[in-house]
């Protein structure tokens, strides 16, 4: 009988290198054209944000006095003046400003989503894993926080602690972890009934180790997908707050702030002020959307 | 006389379940999955636990390993009541009692490779270095008939039988004293079932394990058990040495179970009379009064609805929960 069992196992012995689910997922992801396109676009945008300051002939807060007053004609996008994307209404170089706004928007989006995901996942996983009264209390806190209008909280934070990018990160991140916590909790409840979790409990693994080794890795698919979809919504939040005048402070800017400025001047025949930032905004959001979509397909173990 | 390795005494497990469409403030109904179960398991013994689906076998096993709370009664491990232990000392028991699960793939974390899965109990209960752990894992994998160079593989790359071997390796790597096997082969192909059962029997002999072996029919259990307990709707209705239970079944339910095991010889198979069980398993939410088997019992009588028949020892080692089984047909 021993020999029989060994031969049936040796059938697999030809390829001793393991392919993890994540390795499989990576392969599937890179077969998805739209997702790869999203990655390329995002990489270009990131490169633009990183390299832009080095190649831009103008600084983002420098006013070109020659242009001021006749922006509609002099401030057009042109290679000669060095204003590749034109200038804004105050005669500042739009290329440099778009670079700067891209940096801020990406940072707000990514850092905000990161805070939301880390806090939300751990909170939700703990609530879902322990269940019962712990879960009840923790989720009531989420309900209460959710019922407070997030804009109100954010505005309060910005007013009380002063306007700063750090505050913006903290504020947006702290509000948006609530959804993540709910999602993570729901998934954890389902995972908790799985036999591999029961096996770990029966083995005597410490609860926090179970959460980190068994629950969270199995939430990864949902987390990654949610995170990539969260980044654009963070960017949109930030734009909204900038519109209220509570976002980034002049002369710093962001996609949202640039779009709002551009939109306000649209009737003056300076459409480039809207179109350049809007193009980046749309391209960026679509890129994140396609990546999120591709990740969801790649990580879904059901259609392996 | 020293205490038995495991003694289950008057164990009750009741799940609160909300009736469908109930208001949130109604009191949940109690689903008695296990009711006043008594079992003992001596060192080196294999106790078979048999009953149809939904009779509470898994729940009993879960109460022993502590993943569902006992509503009442005690689980004694080496004479010590473990239902009353705090969480930290309860976790330490994981080294001594381990379980093999019904669904081999679901029992393995899809995000961990085989090496990590098998090593987890070692990492939990020992101070071994990573290198020593790897050595122990390879040894264990070899013992269960898996090539040790598969440690980097992930569960979804294995067949059901191989997954069950991984589960067995994980359960045995800390050399526990009691192994609970919850229908370890019922999810496997018939051709693989015998291999896994033989593997378990061999490992039990080599490692001096005690075993609680759960199955929904007698065909698997009778070969590897020293004693067998029969469960029906959360109650233990008969326990006896394996041989006695098969040759001299007393409880009407046990008789029906034995009749449902096919005889390999087709002539005798066709010739014998088979008291087939009629009807469905009653709902554990609303069990029949008195003897819970009376709704399907061929020899039930009016008295059976009165009181729950106790598990009475009739011959040393043979206990039956039916006072009327030797009185012939219905009166
Ligand atoms: N967590 C739970 N909550 C509510 N009811 C439960 C729970 N677990 C089990 N039950 C119920 O308890 C009863 C016994 O279930 P159990 O899983 O112990 O049966 P089993 O004998 O192992 O059956 P099977 O052969 O199908 O595995 C069933 O009626 C089941 O619906
Ligand atoms: S007590 Fe009555 S109903 Fe129960 S098994 Fe015996 S005869 Fe049947
Ligand atoms: Mg079961």
């Amino acid at each position: 009988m021993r020999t029989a069992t060994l031969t049936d196992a040796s059938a697999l012995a030809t390829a001793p290198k393991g392919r993890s689910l994540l390795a499989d997922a990576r392969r599937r992801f890179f077969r998805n054209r739209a997702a790869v396109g999203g990655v390329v676009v995002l990489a270009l945008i990131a490169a633009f944000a990183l390299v832009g300051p080095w190649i831009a002939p103008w600084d983002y807060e420098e006013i070109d006095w020659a242009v001021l007053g006749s922006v509609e004609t002099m401030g057009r996008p042109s290679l000669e003046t060095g204003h590749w994307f034109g200038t804004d209404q105050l005669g500042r170089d739009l290329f440099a400003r778009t670079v700067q706004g891209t940096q801020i928007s990406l940072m707000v989006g990514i850092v905000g989503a990161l805070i939301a995901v880390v806090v939300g996942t751990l909170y939700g996983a703990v609530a879902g894993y322990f269940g019962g009264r712990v879960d009840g209390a923790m989720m009531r806190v989420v309900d209460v926080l959710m019922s407070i209008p997030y804009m109100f909280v954010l505005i309060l934070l910005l007013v009380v602690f002063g306007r700063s990018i750090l505050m913006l990160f903290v504020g947006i991140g702290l509000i948006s972890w609530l959804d993540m916590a709910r999602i993570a909790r729901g998934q954890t409840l389902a995972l908790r009934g799985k036999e591999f979790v029961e096996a770990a409990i029966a083995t005597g693994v410490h609860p926090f180790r179970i959460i980190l080794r068994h629950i969270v890795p199995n939430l990864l698919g949902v987390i990654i997908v949610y995170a990539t979809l969260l980044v654009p919504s963070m960017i949109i939040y930030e734009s909204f707050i900038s519109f209220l005048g509570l976002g980034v402070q002049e002369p710093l800017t962001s996609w949202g702030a640039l779009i709002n400025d551009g939109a306000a001047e649209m009737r003056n025949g300076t459409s480039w002020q809207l179109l350049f930032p809007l193009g980046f905004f749309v391209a960026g959001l679509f890129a994140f959307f396609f990546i999120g979509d591709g990740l969801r397909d790649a990580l879904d173990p059901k259609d392996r | 006389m020293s205490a038995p390795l495991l003694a289950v005494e008057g164990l009750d497990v009741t799940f609160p379940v909300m009736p469908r469409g109930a208001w949130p403030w109604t009191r949940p109904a109690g689903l008695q999955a296990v009711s006043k179960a008594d079992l003992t398991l001596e060192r080196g013994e294999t106790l078979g636990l048999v009953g149809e689906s939904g009779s509470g076998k898994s729940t009993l096993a879960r109460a022993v390993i502590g993943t569902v709370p006992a509503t009442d009664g005690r689980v004694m491990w080496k004479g010590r009541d473990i239902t009353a232990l705090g969480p930290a000392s309860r976790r330490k028991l994981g080294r001594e009692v381990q379980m093999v699960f019904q669904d081999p793939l679901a029992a393995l974390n899809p995000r961990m490779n085989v090496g990590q899965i098998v090593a987890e109990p070692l990492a939990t209960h020992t101070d071994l270095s990573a290198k020593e752990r790897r050595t122990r894992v390879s040894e264990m994998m070899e013992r269960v008939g898996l090539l040790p160079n598969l440690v980097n593989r992930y569960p979804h790359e294995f067949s059901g039988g191989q997954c069950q071997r991984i589960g067995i390796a994980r359960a045995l790597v800390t050399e526990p004293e009691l192994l609970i096997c919850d229908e370890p082969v019922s999810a496997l192909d018939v051709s693989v079932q015998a291999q896994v059962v033989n593997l378990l029997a061999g490992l039990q002999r080599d490692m001096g394990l005690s075993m609680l072996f759960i199955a929904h029919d007698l065909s698997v259990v009778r070969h590897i058990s020293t004693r067998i307990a029969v469960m029906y709707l959360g109650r233990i209705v008969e326990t006896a040495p394996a041989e006695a239970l098969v040759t001299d079944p007393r409880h009407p339910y046990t008789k029906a179970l034995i009749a449902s095991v096919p005889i390999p010889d087709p002539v005798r198979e066709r010739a014998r009379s088979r008291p087939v069980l009629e009807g469905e398993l009653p709902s554990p939410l609303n069990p029949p009064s008195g003897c819970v088997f009376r709704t399907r019992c061929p020899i039930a009588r009016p008295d059976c609805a009165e009181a729950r028949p106790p598990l009475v020892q009739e011959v040393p080692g043979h206990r039956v929960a039916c006072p009327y089984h030797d009185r012939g047909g219905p009166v």
Side-chain angles (χ1 to χ4, degrees), chain A residues 37-240:
Chain A
V39 171
V40 170
V41 169
L42 200 63
L44 288 177
I45 292 177
F48 171 79
L50 291 175
V51 184
W54 305 100
I55 58 168
W58 295 82
D59 188 74
Y60 70 90
E61 47 181 338
E62 199 178 339
I63 294 170
D64 184 355
W65 298 103
V67 166
L68 201 65
S70 50
V71 172
E72 300 82 51
T73 51
M74 299 289 291
R76 287 185 173 284
S78 110
L79 289 176
E80 287 140 47
T81 54
H83 297 304
W84 299 331
F85 288 5
T87 70
D88 70 2
Q89 215 54 32
L90 298 178
R92 292 175 299 187
D93 181 45
L94 199 63
F95 180 84
R97 291 191 67 71
T98 310
V99 167
Q100 217 280 318
T102 304
Q103 287 174 351
I104 297 268
S105 281
L106 285 184
M107 224 164 39
V108 169
I110 290 168
V111 175
L114 216 62
I115 298 178
V117 162
V118 171
V119 175
T121 304
L122 290 178
Y123 192 93
V126 167
Y129 179 80
F130 288 104
R133 241 177 270 157
V134 177
D135 180 35
M138 287 178 78
M139 292 327 280
R140 279 312 77 70
V141 170
V142 169
D143 290 345
V144 168
L145 289 179
M146 275 228 171
S147 66
I148 302 172
Y150 70 90
M151 274 303 162
F152 178 75
V153 178
L154 196 49
I155 290 165
L156 212 68
L157 275 173
L158 291 169
V159 169
V160 172
F161 294 104
R163 288 165 58 182
S164 72
I165 296 186
L166 184 73
M167 220 48 239
L168 206 64
F169 286 155
V170 173
I172 291 184
L174 283 186
I175 290 158
S176 48
W177 65 272
L178 299 171
D179 275 322
M180 187 70 231
R182 281 191 172 166
I183 294 171
R185 169 188 175 263
Q187 296 279 320
T188 305
L189 284 181
L191 282 174
R192 205 185 181 295
K194 290 268 164 69
E195 288 181 339
F196 68 84
V197 175
E198 187 173 7
I201 298 173
T203 295
V205 182
H206 193 278
F208 289 113
R209 204 177 147 79
I210 296 183
I211 291 175
L212 290 180
R213 296 263 292 167
H214 294 275
I215 304 283
V216 171
N218 282 288
L219 296 174
L220 219 61
V222 190
I223 294 173
I224 292 176
V225 172
Y226 186 72
T228 42
L229 299 176
L230 200 58
V231 173
S233 71
M234 295 288 108
I235 293 174
I236 294 172
Y237 277 173
E238 190 279 330
S239 312
F240 206 70

Side-chain angles (χ1 to χ4, degrees), chain A residues 1-2 5 8-10 12-13 15 18-21 24 195-196 198-199 202-207 213-214 217-218, chain B residues 62 67 91 94 98 101 103 106-107 109-112 120 124-125 143 145 147 152-154 156-157 162 165 198:
Chain A
M1 192 227 111
R2 211 5 96 74
T5 63
D8 112 88
S10 59
L12 270 168
R19 281 182 305 128
S20 73
L21 284 180
D24 277 356
E195 288 181 339
F196 68 84
E198 187 173 7
T203 295
V205 182
H206 193 278
R213 296 263 292 167
H214 294 275
N218 282 288
Chain B
R62 291 197 165 108
T67 54
R91 285 201 293 272
Q98 274 286 347
F101 293 85
D103 181 342
N109 184 342
R111 300 262 183 229
M112 280 163 90
E120 180 156 63
T124 310
H125 294 293
R143 280 183 97 158
L147 292 179
N152 292 321
R153 299 295 202 96
Y154 286 79
H156 69 274
E157 300 174 64
Q162 287 169 325
R165 286 169 199 266
N198 284 341

Side-chain angles (χ1 to χ4, degrees), chain B residues 251-252 291 293-294 297 299-301 304 309 321-325:
Chain B
H251 197 280
C291 176
F293 188 53
R294 71 183 161 82
C297 180
I299 58 166
R301 53 181 75 206
C304 296
C322 172
Y324 310 115
H325 67 83

